[in-house]
Amino acid sequence: MYYFAKSVAGDFVDVVAATRRALAAEGFGVISEIDVQATLKAKLGVDFRPYLILGACNPAMAHQALLLEDKVGTMLPCNVVVQLLPNGQDVEVAAVNPIASMGAIDNPDLRGVAAAVGGKLQAAISRL
């Protein structure tokens, strides 16, 4: 599976805030945010449900990964999606599985870091 996900009942804005807190509890900061709904409206004039892509970074683990593989930055930060599901009631939070995304890199040491990051992302999602 290339992602971890959990659906929760609740207000979209509240789930975004809870997601930020859960990520912070696992050592992640949100260093970028893409509002897909607003971008699609502005660029294409189309309506889309609330959908945010949060770029989450755990600085210590990113540093470890960069020391092991200097091009791993092409896969950073870890994307976390918060989206209102089509039913209009539930909000899904999904995060990239770093093991899947970094599987193309032939570096056994990096797999350990990816597994640790994945564990922290799973723990953050479990907090919701």
Side-chain angles (χ1 to χ4, degrees):
M1 190 62 102
Y2 68 95
Y3 65 92
F4 313 113
K6 181 176 183 178
S7 294
V8 295
D11 177 72
F12 182 78
V13 172
D14 293 341
V15 175
V16 170
T19 301
R20 289 177 184 276
R21 288 191 301 273
L23 289 167
E26 293 297 327
F28 292 91
V30 174
I31 60 172
S32 64
E33 179 178 317
I34 301 168
D35 184 336
V36 173
Q37 181 185 45
T39 300
L40 292 177
K41 186 67 169 178
K43 301 293 183 183
L44 301 176
V46 299
D47 293 321
F48 196 75
R49 66 186 178 277
Y51 190 113
L52 289 179
I53 302 171
L54 305 175
C57 181
N58 180 305
M61 295 188 143
H63 181 239
Q64 272 185 296
L66 287 164
L67 290 174
L68 293 170
E69 192 72 40
D70 70 335
K71 306 298 183 294
V72 78
T74 61
M75 298 180 179
L76 300 177
C78 296
N79 283 335
V80 178
V81 171
V82 183
Q83 67 171 315
L84 183 64
L85 293 176
N87 69 16
Q89 296 174 359
D90 297 320
V91 179
E92 181 184 69
V93 179
V96 66
N97 179 348
I99 292 175
S101 67
M102 295 186 188
I105 301 172
D106 187 24
N107 184 330
D109 294 330
L110 188 60
R111 288 187 197 107
V113 176
V117 172
K120 288 186 170 294
L121 288 170
Q122 282 185 300
I125 288 176
S126 294
R127 291 175 184 271
L128 301 173

